[in-house]
Amino acid sequence: MRRSNTLLGLLLVLSLICETTWAVSGSSSCKQRKMTALRPHSVSITEFGAIGDGVTLNTIAFQNAIFYLRSFADKGGAQLFVPAGKWLTGSFSLISHLTLSLDKDAVILGSTDSIDWPLIDPLPSYGRGRELPGERHQSLIHGSNLKDVVITGDNGTIDGQGSVWWDWFHNKNLNYTRPHLVEFINSTGVVISNLTFSNSPFWAIHPVYCSQVHVQRVTILAPLDSPNTDGIDPDSSTDVCIEDCYISTGDDIIAIKSGWDEHGISYARPSSNINIYRILGRTGDGAGIAIGSEMSGGVSEVRAEDIHLFDSKHGIRIKTSAGRGGYVKNILVSDVIMENVDMAIMITGQYGEHPDEQYNPNALPLIERITIKDVVGTNIRLAGLLNGIEGDDPFEVCLSNIMFNVSSELPWNCSSITGYSDMVSPNVCEPLRRVPEDSSVCYSTDSQGSSSLLVL
């Protein structure tokens, strides 16, 4: 029987691989964002004295170039071109109606001196820096209150040179929260495409309080043991599309967030309408698709499909705890292949890291209409750890058409969970072996992206 299940699992994996295209040239599963193909004015960073030798600090050149291009914002916008070379720089801020374009042999290098990453205020939905109280370092490429901004190229590279930050973290020498590689705040119409992002000091791409964000055909790389190097983290953002990406990092590949405990509850900016398609990747200490743990503003209407994960700690993960409040609802993850994953599905209500002592421990999260279907996994240690919060309403989960080749003798561990399962192997835990009276706990979306109930 073990041999038969293994063979069937391998056949299913091969079948899904044959039917899945991980990078679809010229097509999209999300509504195309309007991106200006040709800005009416373009300058090269070299026109502002930049030197691409990997040694000369070019922060002022980037700042001066972008200041000059402000005059073209109301004339169709402008492009800042970065030619071949290694362009060392500290943090710089973009403007609206701008395209930052990199040549295929261009590398933007983040400075290894923390003084070149200025301090900015903490996000109001976090109330403090994510790692330490107080201010935080600004991202290498930063944007706030922008419209129509593009970061693209011919697969050039943006390298944060994060190893110095990782050492400071491990040695407890940080004075402020580490910077992201790219962060947009309160911005609309953001496109990030056709680039490689490597060695981010912290989370790599972080759109927060944003809308109409499209990230496609990017590669994100960091060592598997690098701390907290999430790939893409949509945070209190709406109408986000992430597709056709390869991500190999030390933490979550994609993590959807919306604020931290009482600060996120008060700020009340949810993440919604998040669409994720055709992601290939691995993670050292995180998950392929994660929600939370900072989800206090609410997360809903999430669709992730055609996901291929390998050599990873977790596959699909929802993280929350008492004190978070908020909700995670109307989530669909489907068409997933996992290979050599320690824990395939993890839903936990005990992820109890808090920003301060002012949080309300009685603020309990609502977790409902979570559907995971059409998943195959080989060399999986544990199929699922599904633990809600004792005393809270049970987390509502639906599992369908799932087959794992599992090494553990106890493949599922469940508590404070309710829901439904169909065609799940190995057999799921008792609380999910039934059809609920209210079938709305199962969720799906139609091809146009509008919500509908999933009939299992």
Side-chain angles (χ1 to χ4, degrees):
M1 181 63 71
R2 181 182 295 273
R3 180 178 297 176
S4 175
N5 285 342
T6 301
L7 177 60
L8 180 57
L10 288 172
L11 289 173
L12 286 170
V13 169
L14 290 172
S15 173
L16 282 173
I17 290 174
C18 291
E19 294 176 0
T20 303
T21 301
W22 297 111
V24 181
S25 176
S27 68
S28 173
S29 299
C30 300
K31 293 180 180 179
Q32 289 285 349
R33 307 299 180 197
K34 183 178 180 182
M35 183 175 76
T36 305
L38 181 64
R39 301 289 191 183
H41 191 82
S42 179
V43 297
S44 170
I45 192 64
T46 57
E47 297 176 46
F48 297 85
I51 300 174
D53 59 3
V55 177
T56 304
L57 189 66
N58 295 294
T59 311
I60 293 176
F62 277 99
Q63 292 171 344
N64 286 344
I66 292 167
F67 181 81
Y68 167 74
L69 294 174
R70 287 181 183 275
S71 61
F72 299 93
D74 61 349
K75 301 178 180 65
Q79 173 179 271
L80 176 58
F81 178 66
V82 182
K86 294 183 177 180
W87 310 90
L88 182 69
T89 181
S91 176
F92 61 92
S93 297
L94 304 184
I95 57 173
S96 295
H97 311 296
L98 176 75
T99 296
L100 176 65
S101 179
L102 278 67
D103 180 84
K104 64 182 179 65
D105 294 318
V107 181
I108 294 178
L109 292 172
S111 169
T112 57
D113 189 339
S114 64
I115 199 172
D116 295 320
W117 306 67
L119 297 175
I120 58 175
D121 290 336
L123 293 167
S125 59
Y126 284 72
R128 47 161 280 180
R130 182 57 185 83
E131 296 181 292
L132 294 167
E135 297 175 304
R136 62 199 183 100
H137 287 282
Q138 181 173 290
S139 60
L140 182 65
I141 300 176
H142 180 77
S144 184
N145 299 302
L146 304 185
K147 294 181 179 180
D148 176 29
V149 59
V150 179
I151 303 175
T152 189
D154 188 17
N155 201 32
T157 299
I158 299 173
D159 186 342
Q161 300 199 102
S163 61
V164 63
W165 295 93
W166 309 333
D167 289 342
W168 291 333
F169 171 81
H170 286 305
N171 295 327
K172 302 186 185 304
N173 289 329
L174 288 171
N175 295 315
Y176 303 95
T177 294
R178 287 173 286 161
H180 308 299
L181 203 51
V182 176
E183 182 178 67
F184 287 100
I185 304 174
N186 280 317
S187 297
T188 302
V190 175
V191 177
I192 301 173
S193 67
N194 303 313
L195 290 171
T196 294
F197 298 85
S198 60
N199 302 314
S200 178
F202 199 42
W203 308 340
I205 298 175
H206 185 222
V208 57
Y209 319 141
C210 290
S211 63
Q212 299 178 24
V213 177
H214 199 168
V215 182
Q216 65 177 157
R217 295 191 298 273
V218 303
T219 298
I220 301 177
L221 304 173
L224 294 179
D225 61 352
S226 56
N228 312 109
T229 51
D230 293 15
I232 305 170
D233 286 8
D235 196 341
S236 293
S237 292
T238 60
D239 298 327
V240 176
C241 174
I242 302 167
E243 57 183 348
D244 302 317
C245 299
Y246 176 77
I247 303 174
S248 176
T249 65
D251 211 327
D252 296 331
I253 290 175
I254 296 171
I256 303 168
K257 302 175 180 292
S258 68
W260 200 5
D261 283 11
E262 75 273 19
H263 307 290
I265 294 171
S266 174
Y267 199 66
R269 288 284 294 269
S271 280
S272 65
N273 194 22
I274 312 293
N275 294 280
I276 303 165
Y277 301 105
R278 298 176 302 279
I279 304 299
L280 171 63
R282 61 178 179 168
T283 166
D285 196 44
I289 302 296
I291 298 176
S293 67
E294 309 89 345
M295 40 61 66
S296 301
V299 176
S300 68
E301 318 327 310
V302 174
R303 180 173 184 167
E305 64 180 43
D306 291 340
I307 312 297
H308 186 173
L309 308 173
F310 64 99
D311 300 343
S312 297
K313 185 170 183 180
H314 302 101
I316 302 160
R317 192 176 187 190
I318 297 175
K319 300 173 284 184
T320 185
S321 72
R324 289 288 190 271
Y327 56 83
V328 176
K329 63 183 181 180
N330 297 349
I331 311 297
L332 172 64
V333 182
S334 68
D335 302 302
V336 181
I337 298 171
M338 300 185 196
E339 300 166 278
N340 192 28
V341 172
D342 186 66
M343 187 180 300
I345 302 171
M346 183 177 185
I347 300 175
T348 177
Q350 287 84 42
Y351 202 92
E353 190 178 18
H354 303 286
D356 50 47
E357 299 300 321
Q358 306 306 312
Y359 74 95
N360 177 6
N362 296 317
L364 302 179
L366 174 67
I367 311 295
E368 63 180 6
R369 296 194 296 278
I370 311 297
T371 297
I372 301 171
K373 70 185 190 78
D374 302 335
V375 183
V376 293
T378 57
N379 195 23
I380 307 297
R381 185 186 65 83
L382 189 65
L385 179 65
L386 313 178
N387 294 328
I389 301 172
E390 186 176 355
D392 192 10
D393 291 335
F395 292 0
E396 296 179 346
V397 180
C398 289
L399 307 177
S400 175
N401 193 28
I402 294 174
M403 177 172 286
F404 294 133
N405 173 241
V406 178
S407 61
S408 174
E409 294 182 0
L410 298 173
W412 297 91
N413 183 328
C414 302
S415 64
S416 299
I417 290 285
T418 189
Y420 174 65
S421 66
D422 180 51
M423 296 189 298
V424 176
S425 177
N427 288 334
V428 74
C429 45
E430 184 64 34
L432 298 181
R433 295 182 191 173
R434 63 187 181 89
V435 179
E437 294 180 3
D438 180 5
S439 62
S440 65
V441 299
C442 300
Y443 177 77
S444 183
T445 57
D446 60 31
S447 59
Q448 283 73 44
S450 59
S451 63
S452 61
L453 298 184
L454 174 65
V455 178
L456 291 172

